[in-house]
């Protein structure tokens, strides 16, 4: 009997030793050595190249009619229905019939500009996008005034009397991250001139909303493959709002999280494949697709300190949401297949993941209250 | 002993980028810590009577990411009350005070 027990003890010790060895092996594997970090980074770059790999657009022609108003500012569902038809149309000729359009809001202009860039990035054959003029002079004047015609290099005669120049930050594709401060300042000046927010609240918009959104766009939306991002801001006096659009042609919030170093943990939290769920999680939890959001060799990124996996980063969008709620601002986020719209109280009044893209990249859209001037 | 740094004049009035990967990669929080807060890396400084005064009068924009990387960074090793006692903030607007307090209180690292 004694002999049996002695053998059992020996066997238990051996088992415990091998279990400890296996645990240590797993821990060693988890550690991000420079070699492993380089491997992870190069995998991320491979994912990016795959995402933007040019493909042949195979269908021939699509014509979409716009009647009435189109934009997130007016109706989220209408915007999403329209944009999802044209962004992933896969057509070599896209024709937008604006004859019966009575207003093309800034969010729609931003969507059209990002579509043009998306087509340039992803099509291996020639794609033409055209549109008719609207029967409403206002609409044509606006497309000239906001910079859209300039962007698509269309000849036009600027029409005076419709939109004063100090009521817009024109849409432009920024080819690099150099002008973030200039664009942020331009939006801030527009807000200072026309919004009804107090000076402290304007500072909150600048520091807590605009700063964080620009940081997101430049860090996650602008990559080696995609250098462009866009800004359009417009004061609408009859509606009493300032519509601010900041967008990129990046891989989107979901892909950014799932190609980042927190992917395993994100998958556990989200538990679905829906883009809208990933956007919602990014707005409410501390998760990040940032390169320094995990333990990684400091030498690789020029950082002084590595931090344990999954910690420190991921507060940015939550800051934006909390501040919008505090200041009673509407916030809409479109990121590839997902859309989330938050009302002034911070409640989600629209959340949907579509089968087709509603925005080729990520769009952050904020509505700020402004002085209302009635038409006489 | 205390020294004062006029951040807006001596460094930048636009404090937004955490590191080189954000924004235009300039005037980052990490750069600020390395240039102006070297002594805070030394434990003796925290145990001494020395303080440092950061003057924000010429700072226009302060982003939470920058504040987190500069100030919340020290919460890993030192208590929040000690940080607020040793780093004196001067000419802070209400909003910038909110941001710095929120970042120090929420800390630098948090568990998933």
């Amino acid at each position: 009997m004694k002999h049996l027990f002695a053998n059992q003890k020996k066997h238990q010790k051996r088992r415990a030793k091998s279990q400890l060895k296996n645990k240590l092996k797993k821990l060693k594997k988890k550690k991000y050595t420079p070699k492993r970090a380089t491997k992870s980074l190069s995998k991320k770059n491979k994912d990016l190249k795959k995402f933007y790999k040019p493909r042949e657009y195979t269908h021939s022609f699509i014509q979409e009619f716009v009647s009435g108003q189109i934009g997130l500012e007016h109706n989220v569902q209408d915007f999403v229905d329209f944009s999802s038809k044209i962004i992933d149309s896969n057509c070599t000729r896209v024709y937008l019939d604006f004859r019966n359009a009575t207003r093309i809001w800034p969010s729609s202009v931003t969507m059209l500009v990002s579509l043009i860039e998306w087509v340039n990035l992803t099509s291996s054959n020639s794609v033409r996008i055209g549109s008719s003029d609207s029967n409403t002079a206002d609409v044509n004047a606006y497309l000239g005034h906001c910079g859209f015609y300039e962007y698509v290099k269309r000849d036009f005669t600027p029409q005076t009397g419709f939109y004063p120049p100090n009521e817009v930050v024109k849409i432009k594709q920024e080819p690099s991250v150099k002008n973030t401060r200039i664009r942020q300042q331009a939006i801030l000046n527009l807000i200072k001139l026309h919004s009804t927010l107090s000076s402290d609240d304007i500072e909150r918009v600048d520091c807590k909303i605009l700063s964080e959104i620009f940081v997101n766009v430049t860090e996650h939306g602008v990559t080696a493959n995609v250098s462009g991002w866009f800004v359009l801001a417009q004061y609408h006096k009859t509606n009493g709002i300032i519509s601010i659009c900041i967008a990129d042609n990046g891989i989107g919030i979901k892909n950014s999280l799932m190609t980042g170093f927190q992917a395993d943990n994100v998958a556990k939290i989200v538990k679905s494949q829906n883009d809208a769920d990933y956007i919602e999680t990014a707005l409410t939890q501390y998760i990040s697709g940032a390169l320094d959001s995990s333990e990684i060799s400091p030498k690789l990124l020029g950082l002084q300190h590595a931090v344990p996996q999954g910690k420190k980063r991921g507060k940015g969008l939550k800051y934006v949401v909390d501040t919008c709620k505090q200041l009673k601002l509407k916030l809409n986020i479109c990121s590839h297949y997902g859309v989330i719209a938050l009302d002034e109280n911070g409640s989600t009044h629209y959340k949907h993941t579509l089968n087709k893209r509603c925005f080729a990249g990520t769009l952050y859209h904020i509505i700020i209250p402004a002085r209302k001037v009635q038409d006489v | 002993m205390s020294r004062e740094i006029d951040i807006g004049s001596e460094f930048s009035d636009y404090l937004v980028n955490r590191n080189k990967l954000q924004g235009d990669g300039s005037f980052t929080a990490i750069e600020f810590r390395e240039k102006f807060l070297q002594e805070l890396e030394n434990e003796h400084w925290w145990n001494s009577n020395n303080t440092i005064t950061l003057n924000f009068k010429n700072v226009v924009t302060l982003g939470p990411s920058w504040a987190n990387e500069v100030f919340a960074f020290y919460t890993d090793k030192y208590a929040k009350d000690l940080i607020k006692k040793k780093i004196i903030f001067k000419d802070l607007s209400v909003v910038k005070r909110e941001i710095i307090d929120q970042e120090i209180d929420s800390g630098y690292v948090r568990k998933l």
Side-chain angles (χ1 to χ4, degrees), chain A residues 55-334:
Chain A
R55 56 186 173 81
E56 201 174 318
Y57 281 44
T58 51
H59 300 149
S60 58
F61 179 72
I62 185 172
Q63 181 171 355
E64 280 303 318
F65 297 87
V66 175
S67 68
Q69 302 189 38
I70 189 79
L72 289 167
E73 297 84 342
H74 176 66
N75 185 291
V76 175
Q77 188 66 60
D78 287 349
F79 172 88
V80 161
D81 288 344
F82 172 63
S83 63
S84 60
K85 281 182 198 160
I86 57 173
I87 292 176
D88 269 347
S89 70
N90 207 23
C91 291
T92 52
R93 279 181 61 211
V94 178
Y95 185 73
L96 306 172
D97 193 315
F98 287 147
R99 280 175 296 175
N100 294 325
T102 55
R103 179 169 265 179
I104 299 175
W105 289 91
S107 56
S108 294
V109 174
T110 309
M111 182 271 293
L112 291 172
V113 163
S114 85
L115 164 65
I116 293 166
E117 281 311 304
W118 176 250
V119 161
N120 288 338
L121 281 167
T122 60
S123 67
S124 59
N125 49 345
S126 164
V127 175
R128 286 175 60 190
I129 302 172
S131 67
S132 68
D133 280 348
S134 168
N135 294 333
T136 307
D138 238 358
V139 171
N140 305 321
Y142 183 67
L143 291 176
H145 157 84
C146 74
F148 179 71
Y149 283 156
E150 212 173 306
Y151 179 81
V152 298
K153 296 184 174 62
R154 175 174 163 165
D155 288 328
F156 73 100
T157 311
Q159 295 179 45
T160 54
F162 283 99
Y163 298 99
N166 68 348
E167 292 180 1
V168 72
V169 175
K170 285 189 180 189
I171 193 152
K172 244 179 88 180
Q173 192 209 12
E174 296 291 342
S176 73
V177 295
K178 275 189 203 161
N179 286 340
T180 43
R181 184 175 183 180
I182 294 171
R183 299 297 260 158
Q184 184 172 343
Q185 191 61 49
I187 296 175
L188 189 64
N189 290 342
L190 190 75
I191 296 173
K192 281 178 178 170
L193 270 174
H194 303 294
S195 89
T196 50
L197 295 175
S198 67
S199 55
D200 279 353
D201 284 348
I202 291 174
E203 194 179 352
R204 286 185 182 96
V205 170
D206 181 35
C207 294
K208 296 187 185 189
I209 297 177
L210 296 179
S211 296
E212 288 300 313
I213 290 177
F214 274 107
V215 148
N216 254 293
V217 161
T218 51
E219 188 170 10
H220 303 294
V222 176
T223 63
N225 305 77
V226 173
S227 56
W229 52 280
F230 320 91
V231 157
L232 170 59
Q234 178 71 50
Y235 165 48
H236 295 276
K237 51 168 103 47
T238 44
N239 299 83
I241 62 166
I242 298 172
S243 173
I244 299 173
C245 305
I246 304 169
D248 61 58
N249 279 126
I251 59 174
I253 292 174
K254 176 187 169 186
N255 286 325
S256 181
L257 291 171
M258 293 314 289
T259 56
F261 296 112
Q262 292 187 12
D264 293 339
N265 287 312
V266 169
K268 282 182 201 164
I269 296 168
V270 180
K271 287 177 191 167
S272 88
Q273 291 302 312
N274 296 332
D275 281 38
D277 288 337
Y278 282 85
I279 301 172
E280 189 175 52
T281 308
L283 298 181
T284 53
Q285 309 246 358
Y286 296 129
I287 50 170
S288 174
L291 284 174
D292 65 341
S293 67
S294 182
E295 193 174 62
I296 191 166
S297 165
K299 282 186 198 169
L300 201 64
L301 294 171
L303 301 177
Q304 285 297 314
H305 301 273
V307 290
Q309 184 170 4
K311 300 185 185 180
K312 184 180 87 170
R313 299 298 307 274
K315 286 192 207 175
L317 287 182
K318 194 169 182 320
Y319 238 110
V320 170
V321 167
D322 290 346
T323 310
C324 283
K325 188 177 170 182
Q326 182 190 358
L327 305 181
K328 302 244 176 265
L329 309 178
K330 289 181 189 171
L331 171 67
N332 301 310
I333 298 184
C334 303

Side-chain angles (χ1 to χ4, degrees), chain B residues 4-18:
Chain B
E4 184 165 322
I5 299 165
D6 180 341
I7 301 183
S9 307
E10 294 179 52
F11 184 67
S12 171
D13 59 349
Y14 181 72
L15 308 173
V16 168
N17 303 325
R18 182 188 290 272

Side-chain angles (χ1 to χ4, degrees), chain A residues 346-376:
Chain A
S347 307
T348 306
H349 75 87
Y350 185 95
K351 176 187 161 189
H352 199 45
T353 300
L354 296 100
N355 294 328
K356 291 190 166 188
R357 280 186 175 84
C358 60
F359 197 89
T362 302
L363 166 66
Y364 303 91
H365 176 241
I366 309 148
I367 298 177
I368 307 242
R371 283 179 292 109
K372 204 168 184 176
V373 176
Q374 297 291 347
D375 283 337
V376 174

